[in-house]
């Protein structure tokens, strides 16, 4: 089944799009005009589109006033059941003055419409049953009513709770250790009432409509949000669902849906782009698009100290931790070459590790740069920061730095040089092997290429070079040492020089850089950051 929906062209004239999926995702950052675009879509075909705004009143009376389906459906869909009802839905949207901010107050009407649908379905069954008895023909199947469908949807989302409808009242039943507790639906949690409201809306909308859901994530926990909407889509395959959201996880979960990214909105016109399928991780692409910032891929995990530090050092960037340096390199290369991201600059920032200057220069051609320290953790050890923090807590900067310097160079680095040399030699050989091109024409040629490559690796020469480099660092400045010394945990062992627990120092710096001392800390660390990545 093909669905048609409309989006504005450059002159705000409607342009038709088609899709064979019954869901479309419109995604954009806050302030990008998403809700106004939803209202614009509705205004192109009021009789075909049912929009559920982001502002929803989830309160209702325990006893639902029964209405005919015709009356209830008109009140839900048009906002009024008056004769010759308003074809522009002014009653529903406060007479056109606030199409995007009006608080919807139709919960009781929605539930009344659902009950009226059930009554109509039961009446039709009774009539068909009587006709079958009178004509001695096969008895019709018992219908699955709108309320039955509501219960099925509810059980999919809340398997630990039952939904019960009794004499125009809705109840939830919680089974707790074999004891069932029943409570009125109007006393449900916000999440439960939201599911009830949205599911009832979807079920009572007339056939073959386009339903616009503004902020489908409101009041819903992430664990149930996607499950609920995919369930509702399955129950209404005749309808097209258009979701307006800033939730990239929700958008990515709708893998095959059309996705429309709103790039900007000037108050009258939208600039948007339909995202085509790519080799990029979809959730990450949507996350990047929604940020509106230049992108910086870094090593580390989301909540690690180093990532928190990068976020403050590069506050004008959308900093994305990738875990390993391999992922930083791969994602930077791929995202830089994606035409969808032409609006932003993409950089990668990796640790220096045991890389040679040749390797470092090669990465620069792909906008991937290295720190001027061996590990990002070494940024916590730079002289300027040690001195600043000592002064900040009232200690003598000269005395504290002398102690830290002696500890790092003589107690740690000097005793680990041989191990560092071995790791560096291995890293150099791995790089040579990883960057070599080996013929794949046939097995014989592949072996010949590999033999030539291996014969060209001079282990002793590499070892001699690395030994000289590390000895020079030991005999050089403190900055030379932390530029060469690869030991991730050493920054977590210097807290005692400031009268702190060792593991507290890094967290103190992170807390301070997020506060009023940001400028001083950034100034201390900035000389060790690659100058090729501009900062604000």
């Amino acid at each position: 089944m093909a669905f048609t929906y409309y989006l504005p062209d450059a002159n705000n004239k409607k342009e038709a799009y088609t899709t064979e999926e019954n869901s479309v995702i419109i995604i954009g950052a806050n302030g990008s005009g998403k809700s106004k675009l939803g209202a614009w879509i509705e205004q192109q075909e009021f009789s075909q589109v049912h929009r559920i705004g982001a502002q929803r009143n989830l309160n209702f009376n325990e006893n639902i006033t029964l209405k005919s389906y015709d009356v209830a459906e008109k009140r839900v869909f048009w906002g009024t059941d008056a004769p010759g009802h308003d074809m522009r839905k002014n009653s529903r949207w406060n007479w056109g003055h606030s199409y995007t901010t009006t608080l919807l107050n139709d919960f009781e009407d929605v539930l009344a419409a659902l009950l009226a649908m059930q009554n109509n379905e039961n009446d039709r069954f009774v009539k068909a049953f009587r006709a079958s008895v009178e004509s001695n023909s096969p008895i019709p199947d018992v219908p699955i009513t709108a309320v039955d469908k509501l219960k099925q949807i509810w059980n999919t989302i809340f398997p630990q709770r039952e939904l019960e409808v009794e004499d125009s009242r809705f109840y939830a039943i919680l089974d707790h250790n074999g004891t069932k507790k029943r409570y009125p639906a109007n006393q449900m949690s916000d999440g439960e009432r939201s599911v009830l409201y949205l599911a009832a809306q979807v079920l009572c909308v007339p056939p073959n409509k386009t339903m616009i859901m503004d902020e489908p994530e409101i009041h819903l926990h992430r664990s149930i949000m996607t499950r609920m909407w995919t369930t509702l889509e399955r129950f209404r395959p005749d309808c097209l669902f258009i979701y307006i959201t800033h939730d990239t996880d929700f958008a990515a979960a709708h893998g095959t849906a059309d996705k429309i990214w709103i790039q900007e909105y000037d108050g009258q016109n939208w600039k948007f782009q339909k995202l085509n399928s790519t080799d990029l991780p979809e959730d990450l692409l949507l996350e990047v698009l929604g940020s509106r910032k230049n992108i910086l891929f870094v090593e580390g995990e989301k909540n690690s100290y180093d990532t928190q530090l990068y976020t403050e050092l590069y506050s004008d960037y959308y900093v994305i931790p990738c875990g390993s340096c391999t992922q930083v390199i791969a994602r930077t290369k791929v995202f830089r070459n994606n035409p969808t991201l032409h609006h932003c600059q993409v950089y990668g920032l990796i640790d220096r590790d045991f890389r040679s200057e040749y390797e470092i220069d090669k990465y620069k051609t792909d906008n991937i740069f290295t720190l001027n320290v061996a590990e990002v953790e070494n940024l916590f050890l730079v002289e300027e920061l040690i001195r600043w923090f000592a002064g900040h807590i009232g200690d003598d900067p000269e005395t504290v730095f002398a102690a830290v310097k002696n500890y790092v160079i003589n107690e740690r680095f000097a005793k680990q040089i041989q191990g560092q040399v071995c790791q560096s030699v291995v890293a150099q050989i791995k790089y040579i092997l990883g960057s070599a091109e080996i013929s794949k024409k046939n097995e014989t040629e592949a072996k010949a290429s590999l033999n030539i490559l291996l014969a060209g690796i001079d282990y002793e020469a590499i070892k001699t070079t690395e030994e000289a480099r590390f000895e020079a660092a030991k005999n050089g400045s403190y900055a030379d040492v932390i530029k060469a010394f690869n030991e991730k945990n050493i920054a977590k062992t210097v807290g005692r020089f400031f009268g702190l627990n060792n593991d507290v120092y890094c967290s103190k710096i992170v807390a301070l850089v997020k506060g009023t001392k940001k400028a001083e800390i950034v100034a201390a660390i900035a000389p060790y950051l690659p100058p090729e990545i501009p900062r604000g």
Side-chain angles (χ1 to χ4, degrees), residues 74-110:
K74 285 178 180 176
R75 294 188 65 164
V76 171
F77 194 79
W78 297 102
T80 179
D81 63 326
H85 52 272
D86 181 13
M87 297 299 291
R88 293 187 60 81
K89 300 187 178 179
N90 285 322
S91 297
R92 181 170 170 79
W93 301 117
N94 193 23
W95 298 95
H97 295 297
S98 49
Y99 274 108
T100 60
T101 59
T102 293
L103 179 69
L104 287 174
N105 193 22
D106 59 354
F107 207 149
E108 287 194 37
D109 291 329
V110 170

Side-chain angles (χ1 to χ4, degrees), residues 57-83:
N57 184 357
L58 296 180
N59 297 312
F60 58 96
N61 293 318
E62 182 175 345
N63 295 303
I64 305 302
T65 302
L66 297 180
K67 305 178 180 72
S68 70
Y69 176 69
D70 181 64
V71 169
E73 183 268 327
K74 285 178 180 176
R75 294 188 65 164
V76 171
F77 194 79
W78 297 102
T80 179
D81 63 326

Side-chain angles (χ1 to χ4, degrees), residues 16-68:
Y17 293 78
T18 60
T19 177
E20 294 184 358
E21 301 291 331
N22 74 326
S23 59
V24 173
I25 310 290
I26 296 176
I27 189 165
N30 291 330
S32 61
K34 298 189 302 297
S35 295
K36 288 184 173 60
L37 180 58
W40 183 95
I41 296 171
E42 179 188 35
Q43 290 161 17
Q44 309 313 302
E45 291 186 300
F46 279 109
S47 63
Q48 187 60 29
V49 177
H50 183 59
R51 180 168 62 92
I52 300 175
Q55 311 300 320
R56 310 157 194 158
N57 184 357
L58 296 180
N59 297 312
F60 58 96
N61 293 318
E62 182 175 345
N63 295 303
I64 305 302
T65 302
L66 297 180
K67 305 178 180 72
S68 70

Side-chain angles (χ1 to χ4, degrees), residues 296 310-317 319 349 529-530 533-535:
L296 180 63
Y310 277 142
T311 300
E312 298 301 326
L313 294 172
Y314 292 96
S315 55
D316 292 337
Y317 289 76
V319 177
L349 180 56
L529 303 175
I533 303 178
R535 295 182 302 109

Side-chain angles (χ1 to χ4, degrees), residues 125-285:
F125 171 72
V126 171
K127 290 177 181 178
F129 182 87
R130 286 174 176 167
S132 298
V133 172
E134 292 173 359
S135 63
N136 199 28
S137 57
I139 301 298
D141 293 331
V142 177
I144 300 175
T145 68
V147 172
D148 293 330
K149 294 175 182 177
L150 178 65
K151 291 180 179 179
Q152 291 176 19
I153 294 168
W154 180 271
N155 290 338
T156 299
I157 300 164
F158 298 119
Q160 75 281 14
R161 285 170 170 78
E162 297 178 30
L163 184 67
E164 185 178 87
V165 180
E166 180 183 287
D167 191 24
S168 77
R169 296 185 182 94
F170 289 75
Y171 297 94
I173 301 175
L174 173 62
D175 189 339
H176 182 66
N177 296 328
T179 302
K180 291 191 174 183
K181 177 184 178 182
R182 188 171 86 158
Y183 52 95
N186 64 346
Q187 295 179 22
M188 291 176 175
S189 68
D190 286 347
E192 290 172 320
R193 280 179 289 145
S194 185
V195 169
L196 179 63
Y197 173 76
L198 294 169
Q201 281 270 10
V202 168
L203 290 172
C204 75
V205 166
N208 304 312
K209 299 298 183 184
T210 294
M211 287 188 279
I212 299 177
M213 304 293 176
D214 196 353
E215 297 195 31
E217 64 272 12
I218 289 180
H219 299 306
L220 297 177
H221 191 274
R222 188 173 298 279
S223 62
I224 68 170
M225 181 172 64
T226 299
R227 182 166 70 249
M228 186 194 77
W229 286 114
T230 53
T231 301
L232 293 177
E233 290 166 22
R234 188 170 66 251
F235 271 82
R236 291 304 304 266
D238 59 307
C239 293
L240 173 65
F241 291 73
I242 297 180
Y243 301 102
I244 297 173
T245 183
H246 59 260
D247 192 304
T248 57
D249 290 337
F250 175 74
H254 278 70
T256 56
D258 282 3
K259 296 183 178 66
I260 310 299
W261 169 47
I262 302 179
Q263 297 169 289
E264 60 183 64
Y265 175 61
D266 63 8
Q268 292 184 320
N269 299 88
W270 293 267
K271 184 178 179 181
F272 60 85
Q273 182 174 346
K274 183 178 179 182
L275 301 181
N276 298 316
S277 60
T278 71
D279 293 328
L280 298 174
E282 190 172 65
D283 55 344
L284 182 57
L285 175 60

